[in-house]
Amino acid sequence: MTSATTPARGAKTTPKPATKAPATAELTEGQRADLDGAIGALTTGATIWSALTLAQRVTLLRSVRTSVAATAEDWARTAAASKGLDGRHPLRGEEWLSGPYSVLGALDAYIETLSRLAEGRNPLDGIRVERAPGGRTRVHAFPLTGIDSFLLSGYTGEVWLQPGVTPNRARAGAGLAQRTPTESGGVGLVLGAGNITSIPVLDVLYELLAHNRTALLKVNPTQDALVPVYKRAFAPLIEPGFLRIVRGGPAVGAYLTGHPDLVHVHITGSAATFDAIVWGTGSAATRRRRENRPQLKKPITAELGGVSPIIVVPGDWTDADLRYQAEHIVTMRLQNCGHNCIAGQVVILSSDWPQADRFRAELRRAYANAPERPIWYPGSPSRMQQATDAYPDALVLGDRLLVEIGEGDDPDALQHTEYFAPVLGVVTVAGAGQAFLDAAVAYANDQLQGTLGANLLIDPATEKSLGAGFDRAIANLHYGSIAINGWTAFGFITPTMTWGAFPGSTIDDVGSGIGVVHNALLLDDVERSVIRGPFRPFPRSLPVANGGGRLTILPKPPWFVSARTGAEVSEGLTRFRAQGGVAGLVKTLLAALRA
């Protein structure tokens, strides 16, 4: 990001002794003193961090990995309980995958990147880097290990860099701040997400490794129950002063964002919260915007969500295809009860697809049959009511809404409101083949709020028939994460992929956010990530059976809300990631076959 609040590329920030921020009436003197003390410890920690060699940082990350692995069970169970999922709920496995599994994978990937740098090698050595459409370069960032190639067969991921970036420039920039480890990035503030338990600590790791910044993490109040777990899991970072974790509400956040010794802010949340931080509220904010005089005097990055499309390209699908992809879409909406910035919200169908009515029927069935769970995130019930008020004729299926936009219906609310709740919409666009795909891409780009993630489902025969037109359409889809026959959450959970909005947002019009996170290869000049998955599960994924699709060993991915053994498989995969063990993995794979 380059703006009035952002230092130029390569600018150095040197830590300075802690000084007191302006007083905030809602905080006591003792509370302010505690926060100032934490920032002072992090300022000292920033100096210590800049003195560590890359090899020492690798050793430290291995210690963090050990402590995260030791807390994995407590982490997953505490998170599930905080969301109203008991030990027998079929969806409790979500908290294993989106919590400790994600963090362990990130640590493994960062350890590999820093180990290469410590040995004098490039993070991209041995990784395929080639040209992509539109003068871009793409890095084949997943899978990079044999075990990922096996367990997640059929899934691949690419990071596309911005137009004009050559493969040589990509290699030269890989490593970010770890190329200059003695240059401190100072102390940053991370305002943690409240919905997914890995997000706050993954953001902390990116601050430390991409920017050489120690971090003060303020957890969202919804995550308060996880704070003791976080402190145990990340004790190796807390003890030397590389991380401090605090609780608190808006008053704490306001004090910290204005603190003179915090040089950067990163937030995962809503655009409204972002604007309040940057510009303030009420008439004062209006005046500041008019005068281009932001209240926040330091750079800020953000991940803010949006209305995510699911483009369904018409083809000749079997009954099994219709059923499987309907469950796929329902998963995109209902995982974590829809309380995800990346939850699919608007299904884009072709009005000319002969199978559209059959697909709608499968979608209704899958949406109604998914396991029920609490709507737990603050504010979500009121957004459900907003959807009900906007679309009184929507189908009420248990604790969820299905909004099918028909002729004469106004899609505006669906297109511009991130419901962050179990509300799924269906719209139609005319056409078939390339004409439909181009029209659907234009609809997603022009009509839907945000640019964080887009999903696209297409059968192998149809994709093959489109040829270069398909690649051109993907290049024209302006989202920071794109999933082809997958869900963009797979990109979130894959550490060597990047996560963030499509470039171009500013503090004046923030959209889905500014900057990226995760990015364990530490790539510069990122534009987007593109993942691809199998259109059909095993055994229908066999190439002989499906005419050239992608082979996968998964009959149904464990993150599907319809996976009967999803909880068991998710826990087993996390335990394997944490501890290894062939016997446990075999047991997990056998459970996966019963999904």
Side-chain angles (χ1 to χ4, degrees), residues 392-422:
D393 295 329
L395 288 175
V396 180
L397 302 171
D399 58 351
R400 55 206 66 150
L401 291 181
L402 181 61
V403 180
E404 299 190 58
I405 299 295
E407 187 175 352
D409 293 335
D410 184 358
D412 188 71
L414 182 68
Q415 294 172 161
H416 295 100
T417 306
E418 183 189 6
Y419 286 112
F420 216 69

Short mmCIF file of all heavy atoms in Angstrom, two decimals, residues 392-422:
data_model
loop_
_atom_site.label_atom_id
_atom_site.label_comp_id
_atom_site.label_asym_id
_atom_site.label_seq_id
_atom_site.Cartn_x
_atom_site.Cartn_y
_atom_site.Cartn_z
N PRO A 392 -38.85 -11.25 1.91
CA PRO A 392 -39.84 -11.97 2.73
C PRO A 392 -40.30 -13.29 2.12
O PRO A 392 -40.84 -14.13 2.84
CB PRO A 392 -41.01 -10.96 2.82
CG PRO A 392 -40.81 -10.04 1.65
CD PRO A 392 -39.34 -9.95 1.45
N ASP A 393 -40.08 -13.50 0.83
CA ASP A 393 -40.48 -14.75 0.19
C ASP A 393 -39.36 -15.78 0.14
O ASP A 393 -39.51 -16.84 -0.47
CB ASP A 393 -40.96 -14.47 -1.24
CG ASP A 393 -42.23 -13.62 -1.27
OD1 ASP A 393 -43.02 -13.73 -0.32
OD2 ASP A 393 -42.39 -12.84 -2.22
N ALA A 394 -38.21 -15.48 0.79
CA ALA A 394 -37.09 -16.42 0.80
C ALA A 394 -37.49 -17.72 1.47
O ALA A 394 -38.34 -17.74 2.38
CB ALA A 394 -35.90 -15.81 1.52
N LEU A 395 -36.86 -18.82 1.04
CA LEU A 395 -37.11 -20.11 1.66
C LEU A 395 -36.44 -20.14 3.03
O LEU A 395 -35.25 -19.85 3.16
CB LEU A 395 -36.54 -21.23 0.80
CG LEU A 395 -37.27 -21.55 -0.51
CD1 LEU A 395 -36.49 -22.60 -1.30
CD2 LEU A 395 -38.68 -22.05 -0.22
N VAL A 396 -37.21 -20.49 4.05
CA VAL A 396 -36.67 -20.67 5.40
C VAL A 396 -36.46 -22.16 5.59
O VAL A 396 -37.42 -22.94 5.66
CB VAL A 396 -37.63 -20.11 6.46
CG1 VAL A 396 -37.05 -20.30 7.85
CG2 VAL A 396 -37.92 -18.63 6.19
N LEU A 397 -35.22 -22.57 5.64
CA LEU A 397 -34.86 -23.98 5.76
C LEU A 397 -34.15 -24.18 7.09
O LEU A 397 -32.94 -23.97 7.20
CB LEU A 397 -33.98 -24.40 4.59
CG LEU A 397 -34.61 -24.19 3.19
CD1 LEU A 397 -33.59 -24.43 2.10
CD2 LEU A 397 -35.81 -25.09 3.01
N GLY A 398 -34.89 -24.53 8.12
CA GLY A 398 -34.31 -24.65 9.45
C GLY A 398 -33.89 -23.28 9.94
O GLY A 398 -34.69 -22.35 10.01
N ASP A 399 -32.61 -23.13 10.24
CA ASP A 399 -32.08 -21.88 10.77
C ASP A 399 -31.37 -21.07 9.70
O ASP A 399 -30.50 -20.26 9.98
CB ASP A 399 -31.11 -22.16 11.93
CG ASP A 399 -29.95 -23.05 11.50
OD1 ASP A 399 -29.99 -23.58 10.36
OD2 ASP A 399 -29.01 -23.22 12.30
N ARG A 400 -31.75 -21.26 8.43
CA ARG A 400 -31.04 -20.61 7.32
C ARG A 400 -32.01 -20.15 6.25
O ARG A 400 -33.15 -20.63 6.17
CB ARG A 400 -30.02 -21.59 6.75
CG ARG A 400 -30.63 -22.91 6.32
CD ARG A 400 -29.63 -24.06 6.34
NE ARG A 400 -29.18 -24.39 7.67
CZ ARG A 400 -28.81 -25.61 8.05
NH1 ARG A 400 -28.84 -26.61 7.20
NH2 ARG A 400 -28.39 -25.83 9.28
N LEU A 401 -31.55 -19.20 5.45
CA LEU A 401 -32.37 -18.62 4.39
C LEU A 401 -31.75 -18.92 3.02
O LEU A 401 -30.53 -18.84 2.85
CB LEU A 401 -32.47 -17.10 4.54
CG LEU A 401 -33.26 -16.53 5.71
CD1 LEU A 401 -33.24 -15.01 5.64
CD2 LEU A 401 -34.69 -17.04 5.71
N LEU A 402 -32.61 -19.22 2.05
CA LEU A 402 -32.19 -19.37 0.67
C LEU A 402 -32.99 -18.37 -0.16
O LEU A 402 -34.21 -18.45 -0.26
CB LEU A 402 -32.46 -20.79 0.17
CG LEU A 402 -32.05 -21.09 -1.27
CD1 LEU A 402 -30.54 -20.89 -1.46
CD2 LEU A 402 -32.44 -22.51 -1.67
N VAL A 403 -32.28 -17.41 -0.73
CA VAL A 403 -32.90 -16.32 -1.48
C VAL A 403 -32.69 -16.60 -2.97
O VAL A 403 -31.57 -16.51 -3.48
CB VAL A 403 -32.27 -14.96 -1.11
CG1 VAL A 403 -32.94 -13.84 -1.91
CG2 VAL A 403 -32.38 -14.70 0.38
N GLU A 404 -33.75 -16.93 -3.67
CA GLU A 404 -33.67 -17.17 -5.11
C GLU A 404 -34.27 -15.98 -5.83
O GLU A 404 -35.47 -15.77 -5.81
CB GLU A 404 -34.38 -18.47 -5.46
CG GLU A 404 -33.77 -19.69 -4.75
CD GLU A 404 -34.31 -21.00 -5.27
OE1 GLU A 404 -34.19 -21.26 -6.48
OE2 GLU A 404 -34.85 -21.76 -4.45
N ILE A 405 -33.39 -15.21 -6.46
CA ILE A 405 -33.82 -13.98 -7.11
C ILE A 405 -34.52 -14.32 -8.42
O ILE A 405 -33.94 -14.95 -9.32
CB ILE A 405 -32.62 -13.05 -7.40
CG1 ILE A 405 -31.93 -12.66 -6.08
CG2 ILE A 405 -33.06 -11.82 -8.19
CD1 ILE A 405 -32.78 -11.82 -5.16
N GLY A 406 -35.78 -13.93 -8.51
CA GLY A 406 -36.56 -14.18 -9.71
C GLY A 406 -36.81 -12.90 -10.49
O GLY A 406 -36.36 -11.81 -10.09
N GLU A 407 -37.54 -13.01 -11.57
CA GLU A 407 -37.85 -11.85 -12.39
C GLU A 407 -38.65 -10.83 -11.57
O GLU A 407 -39.63 -11.17 -10.91
CB GLU A 407 -38.66 -12.28 -13.61
CG GLU A 407 -38.88 -11.16 -14.62
CD GLU A 407 -39.58 -11.65 -15.86
OE1 GLU A 407 -39.74 -12.88 -16.01
OE2 GLU A 407 -39.96 -10.80 -16.69
N GLY A 408 -38.17 -9.60 -11.58
CA GLY A 408 -38.82 -8.54 -10.82
C GLY A 408 -38.30 -8.36 -9.42
O GLY A 408 -38.62 -7.36 -8.77
N ASP A 409 -37.51 -9.31 -8.91
CA ASP A 409 -36.93 -9.17 -7.57
C ASP A 409 -35.72 -8.22 -7.62
O ASP A 409 -35.00 -8.16 -8.62
CB ASP A 409 -36.48 -10.52 -7.03
CG ASP A 409 -37.64 -11.45 -6.76
OD1 ASP A 409 -38.75 -10.95 -6.54
OD2 ASP A 409 -37.43 -12.68 -6.79
N ASP A 410 -35.50 -7.53 -6.53
CA ASP A 410 -34.37 -6.59 -6.44
C ASP A 410 -33.19 -7.30 -5.77
O ASP A 410 -33.26 -7.64 -4.59
CB ASP A 410 -34.77 -5.36 -5.62
CG ASP A 410 -33.67 -4.31 -5.57
OD1 ASP A 410 -32.59 -4.54 -6.14
OD2 ASP A 410 -33.90 -3.25 -4.95
N PRO A 411 -32.10 -7.52 -6.50
CA PRO A 411 -30.96 -8.24 -5.92
C PRO A 411 -30.01 -7.34 -5.13
O PRO A 411 -29.00 -7.83 -4.62
CB PRO A 411 -30.25 -8.81 -7.15
CG PRO A 411 -30.49 -7.76 -8.21
CD PRO A 411 -31.87 -7.22 -7.94
N ASP A 412 -30.30 -6.06 -5.01
CA ASP A 412 -29.31 -5.11 -4.48
C ASP A 412 -28.82 -5.48 -3.08
O ASP A 412 -27.63 -5.48 -2.82
CB ASP A 412 -29.91 -3.69 -4.47
CG ASP A 412 -28.86 -2.65 -4.11
OD1 ASP A 412 -27.97 -2.40 -4.95
OD2 ASP A 412 -28.91 -2.11 -2.99
N ALA A 413 -29.75 -5.79 -2.18
CA ALA A 413 -29.34 -6.12 -0.80
C ALA A 413 -28.44 -7.34 -0.79
O ALA A 413 -27.43 -7.38 -0.07
CB ALA A 413 -30.58 -6.34 0.06
N LEU A 414 -28.78 -8.35 -1.56
CA LEU A 414 -27.98 -9.56 -1.63
C LEU A 414 -26.60 -9.29 -2.19
O LEU A 414 -25.61 -9.87 -1.74
CB LEU A 414 -28.70 -10.60 -2.49
CG LEU A 414 -28.04 -11.97 -2.64
CD1 LEU A 414 -28.06 -12.71 -1.31
CD2 LEU A 414 -28.76 -12.79 -3.71
N GLN A 415 -26.51 -8.39 -3.12
CA GLN A 415 -25.24 -8.11 -3.79
C GLN A 415 -24.31 -7.24 -2.97
O GLN A 415 -23.10 -7.28 -3.16
CB GLN A 415 -25.52 -7.40 -5.13
CG GLN A 415 -26.23 -8.28 -6.15
CD GLN A 415 -26.68 -7.52 -7.38
OE1 GLN A 415 -26.95 -8.11 -8.41
NE2 GLN A 415 -26.77 -6.20 -7.30
N HIS A 416 -24.86 -6.46 -2.05
CA HIS A 416 -24.05 -5.47 -1.36
C HIS A 416 -24.00 -5.62 0.16
O HIS A 416 -23.32 -4.84 0.82
CB HIS A 416 -24.53 -4.06 -1.71
CG HIS A 416 -24.35 -3.71 -3.15
ND1 HIS A 416 -25.38 -3.76 -4.07
CD2 HIS A 416 -23.25 -3.34 -3.85
CE1 HIS A 416 -24.91 -3.42 -5.26
NE2 HIS A 416 -23.63 -3.17 -5.16
N THR A 417 -24.69 -6.61 0.70
CA THR A 417 -24.66 -6.84 2.14
C THR A 417 -23.92 -8.13 2.44
O THR A 417 -24.36 -9.21 2.02
CB THR A 417 -26.09 -6.94 2.72
OG1 THR A 417 -26.84 -5.80 2.34
CG2 THR A 417 -26.04 -7.06 4.24
N GLU A 418 -22.80 -8.04 3.14
CA GLU A 418 -22.13 -9.26 3.59
C GLU A 418 -22.86 -9.73 4.85
O GLU A 418 -22.66 -9.20 5.93
CB GLU A 418 -20.65 -8.99 3.90
CG GLU A 418 -19.91 -10.26 4.30
CD GLU A 418 -18.50 -10.00 4.80
OE1 GLU A 418 -18.13 -8.82 4.95
OE2 GLU A 418 -17.79 -10.97 5.06
N TYR A 419 -23.71 -10.74 4.69
CA TYR A 419 -24.60 -11.11 5.80
C TYR A 419 -23.86 -11.77 6.95
O TYR A 419 -24.30 -11.69 8.10
CB TYR A 419 -25.73 -12.01 5.30
CG TYR A 419 -26.77 -11.25 4.50
CD1 TYR A 419 -26.92 -11.46 3.14
CD2 TYR A 419 -27.58 -10.30 5.12
CE1 TYR A 419 -27.87 -10.75 2.41
CE2 TYR A 419 -28.52 -9.58 4.40
CZ TYR A 419 -28.66 -9.81 3.04
OH TYR A 419 -29.59 -9.10 2.33
N PHE A 420 -22.74 -12.43 6.68
CA PHE A 420 -21.96 -13.06 7.75
C PHE A 420 -22.85 -13.97 8.59
O PHE A 420 -22.76 -14.04 9.82
CB PHE A 420 -21.30 -11.99 8.63
CG PHE A 420 -19.93 -12.37 9.13
CD1 PHE A 420 -18.86 -12.45 8.26
CD2 PHE A 420 -19.70 -12.65 10.47
CE1 PHE A 420 -17.59 -12.79 8.72
CE2 PHE A 420 -18.44 -12.98 10.94
CZ PHE A 420 -17.38 -13.06 10.05
N ALA A 421 -23.74 -14.68 7.90
CA ALA A 421 -24.75 -15.51 8.54
C ALA A 421 -25.25 -16.49 7.49
O ALA A 421 -24.93 -16.35 6.30
CB ALA A 421 -25.90 -14.62 9.06
N PRO A 422 -26.04 -17.49 7.89
CA PRO A 422 -26.50 -18.50 6.92
C PRO A 422 -27.57 -17.98 5.97
O PRO A 422 -28.75 -18.34 6.06
CB PRO A 422 -27.00 -19.63 7.81
CG PRO A 422 -27.32 -19.01 9.12
CD PRO A 422 -26.37 -17.88 9.28
#
